[in-house]
Amino acid sequence: LGAFAQVTVQLNKPRTGASALILGGRLYVLGGLADGIGFGSPVSAAPTIEYAPINPDGTLGAFVDTGQQFGTPRYHLGVMVTSSQVYIAGGEGGAGPQVFSPLASVERAPISPDGTLGAFVTSAFSLSSARSFFVSEVAGRHFFLCGGYNGVTQDDCDEAVVDTSSGVISGFTTNPNHLAQARSLAPVQFLCLLLSFLGLTWAFIYNDFTLDYVSRQSNTQLPLQYKISAVWGGHEGSLLLWVLIL
């Protein structure tokens, strides 16, 4: 990865909290919240969908305003691309009475044969609960939205499975166990880190120079207290100690 450089291409309408995807040789920018949008603002004031063509050399052309909008404007949304559809889910409402309100609705747009994006329509299904500021991830044909905020911090996950033959999602299911399982494994992780640290300390005390780190940081003439402090004297040991403390 080379150095980052600022490009001269700009969106037609500045926004924050938008999502992006690459489709049919185009970079699409979806949703977001524009300056001046607040309670009572008309839905038409929300940012529209824009795209910029990706040139053969990888640079971007000028952004084109499609004039399209979501059925419910939103920002901080989740996006998944299947073989035939683009799905958006959740996020915060972006205009009208929905501003700054978590959403549960899901919308989809068809992908045309030439790779262009059709109009978004509201799906018949929705998330198990409204959520915004969540973590979303695509793993194979699974679409996960975990955590987020809905008046309270959420610890469950919504999961959708894509039909590989049609590219369609039929609905989301809730799996409250993903984050709960992670919390239950935290003591196990702590125990493993503690054993690793104690094992490394033992290697320093008993001059186990078969370990490269010990041979570089210690010697047989060091007093005991210096051998112990040498455990975190190098880069590897200090990182292990910090992870253990955190």
Side-chain angles (χ1 to χ4, degrees):
L1 188 63
F4 281 96
Q6 186 172 1
V7 298
T8 57
V9 178
Q10 292 183 325
L11 294 168
N12 290 286
K13 191 163 190 177
R15 65 194 73 196
T16 184
S19 291
L21 61 91
I22 294 176
L23 193 64
R26 296 174 172 179
L27 172 66
Y28 282 88
V29 177
L30 313 175
L33 182 67
D35 288 340
I37 298 293
F39 289 103
S41 299
V43 171
S44 59
T48 51
I49 297 171
E50 300 185 28
Y51 72 85
I54 302 175
N55 300 319
D57 61 356
T59 58
L60 288 179
F63 273 96
V64 177
D65 189 341
T66 66
Q68 292 178 250
Q69 292 180 313
F70 300 142
T72 301
R74 63 190 72 201
Y75 57 103
H76 294 304
L77 56 147
V79 178
M80 181 180 188
V81 181
T82 73
S83 60
S84 65
Q85 307 280 328
V86 171
Y87 286 88
I88 64 164
E92 293 259 326
Q98 293 86 22
V99 171
F100 313 127
S101 297
L103 301 172
S105 58
V106 177
E107 299 184 28
R108 60 181 175 83
I111 301 173
S112 303
D114 62 356
T116 57
L117 191 60
F120 277 91
V121 296
T122 302
S123 298
F125 57 87
S126 60
L127 302 177
S128 61
S129 62
R131 67 178 74 218
S132 59
F133 302 103
F134 47 78
V135 174
S136 63
E137 189 57 72
V138 176
R141 62 192 189 98
H142 296 263
F143 184 26
F144 296 96
L145 288 80
C146 296
Y149 183 78
N150 182 12
V152 295
T153 302
Q154 297 171 280
D155 63 358
D156 60 348
C157 294
D158 274 311
E159 176 183 358
V161 180
V162 180
D163 185 309
T164 53
S165 60
S166 64
V168 172
I169 292 175
S170 58
F172 280 86
T173 58
T174 304
N175 188 335
N177 297 321
H178 289 151
L179 298 181
Q181 288 172 353
R183 285 196 300 269
S184 67
L185 291 174
V188 178
Q189 182 185 38
F190 172 76
L191 180 60
C192 291
L193 288 168
L194 179 61
L195 290 175
S196 298
F197 186 80
L198 292 177
L200 185 60
T201 304
W202 182 92
F204 269 88
I205 293 174
Y206 289 95
N207 300 317
D208 185 359
F209 297 126
T210 60
L211 297 179
D212 177 69
Y213 180 67
V214 177
S215 66
R216 288 187 286 107
Q217 299 294 327
S218 182
N219 62 72
T220 56
Q221 303 303 313
L222 277 181
L224 178 61
Q225 64 270 27
Y226 291 126
K227 288 183 178 180
I228 295 175
S229 62
V231 174
W232 57 85
H235 182 71
E236 297 91 333
S238 62
L239 281 178
L240 180 60
L241 178 61
W242 274 112
V243 173
L244 177 63
I245 292 172
L246 295 175

